[in-house]
Amino acid sequence: MRTLLSVSLVLVFHGLVAQTTLKTNPTAFIPAGYVLFSETDGDLNKDGVSDKVLLVKATDMGAFVVNDFGERVDRNRRGIIILFKKGNQYELALKNLNCFSSENEDGGVYYAPELSLEIGKGNLYVNYAHGRYGYWKYTFRYRNSDFYLIGYDNSEGGAVVEQETSINFLSKKKQMKVNVNENAEGGDEVFEETWTNIVVTKLMKLREVKDFDNLELNY
């Protein structure tokens, strides 16, 4: 039966059958046991249509724990669902439900990094902001029917930047900028810049990332 919320398209190619489900409501792709945490919109497959990225969170009651401050916090992990817009409906492009830690993870002497997902210039950015400790960012791009890690950026330090790293996995180049102004107060850093070539055997896929907290870059 065909409904307004779900249409199944059967594609036959060289004797193989693939099924794609289209849904009008993006949240209908969120499986049982998960809730929507945040969402962002933007064109990811360069068809001129705004797609949607959902940050979702598990709801297992067993993941609620008491932290070091005696507070009961939700340590359920988070994941990502990417949807391509097709007409007035959406199609599932990627689902990785466990790759991000909870927003309530133990940050040690500081709070845990703040995660945000952004879309710009056809890329998906996985951003981590960590206050006085700086930030880091992963850049993914849709190509060959999958999302691949094409860039990584890292900045160490808060008001005064101590060091910046930028890696382009497509050009196989790594840029390092180190602040040599020991008296810098912020905005007056003086950087020494170096470039090196890196070896990239293959690009990492977003769907294969198990844990961004322990992600090892392939170079």
Side-chain angles (χ1 to χ4, degrees):
M1 178 180 294
R2 177 174 297 182
T3 68
L4 293 177
L5 291 179
S6 178
V7 179
S8 294
L9 304 178
V10 178
L11 309 175
V12 181
F13 182 70
H14 292 311
L16 299 177
V17 178
Q19 185 169 335
T20 302
T21 299
L22 300 180
K23 300 180 182 181
T24 303
N25 185 356
T27 59
F29 287 92
I30 301 176
Y34 289 82
V35 294
L36 179 65
F37 190 86
S38 66
E39 62 181 271
T40 186
D41 299 270
D43 185 8
L44 285 169
N45 55 356
K46 299 182 179 180
D47 62 355
V49 178
S50 183
D51 306 305
K52 192 172 289 290
V53 176
L54 309 180
L55 180 61
V56 297
K57 183 176 176 68
T59 58
D60 182 7
M61 294 303 298
F64 283 75
V65 301
V66 177
N67 65 16
D68 293 338
F69 303 99
E71 303 167 328
R72 189 168 184 266
V73 295
D74 180 1
R75 291 280 173 82
N76 274 291
R77 294 183 62 82
R78 294 171 291 178
I80 185 172
I81 297 175
I82 302 178
L83 307 173
F84 287 156
K85 188 75 177 292
K86 303 292 182 180
N88 64 344
Q89 297 180 309
Y90 290 91
E91 174 187 48
L92 180 65
L94 180 141
K95 179 169 60 177
N96 187 339
L97 298 176
N98 201 46
C99 57
F100 303 119
S101 59
S102 165
E103 73 280 14
N104 297 313
E105 286 299 316
D106 184 6
V109 297
Y110 203 52
Y111 61 79
E114 295 181 0
L115 166 67
S116 65
L117 303 178
E118 299 178 7
I119 298 173
K121 299 180 180 180
N123 298 324
L124 171 66
Y125 301 105
V126 177
N127 300 311
Y128 284 93
H130 207 203
R132 65 188 182 191
Y133 293 111
Y135 69 86
W136 56 99
K137 174 176 66 178
Y138 303 93
T139 301
F140 290 88
R141 180 177 297 170
Y142 183 72
R143 51 185 289 175
N144 300 326
S145 302
D146 223 323
F147 286 87
Y148 291 88
L149 179 66
I150 65 166
Y152 171 78
D153 294 274
N154 172 271
S155 178
E156 298 180 15
V160 177
V161 178
E162 299 172 0
Q163 177 175 295
E164 292 182 339
T165 303
S166 183
I167 301 174
N168 187 318
F169 293 102
L170 296 180
S171 65
K172 301 179 182 180
K173 300 285 187 180
K174 176 180 179 180
Q175 180 195 47
M176 291 282 295
K177 296 169 64 177
V178 177
N179 175 35
V180 294
N181 181 8
E182 297 180 355
N183 298 316
E185 297 179 355
D188 57 346
E189 296 91 344
V190 177
F191 294 101
E192 276 191 359
E193 179 179 323
T194 59
W195 287 84
T196 55
N197 295 321
I198 62 173
V199 176
V200 180
T201 55
K202 68 174 183 177
L203 296 178
M204 185 181 302
K205 295 181 180 180
L206 176 55
R207 69 175 67 251
E208 295 175 350
V209 176
K210 295 182 179 180
D211 187 352
F212 272 93
D213 289 351
N214 298 301
L215 185 61
E216 295 184 4
L217 302 179
N218 295 328
Y219 73 93

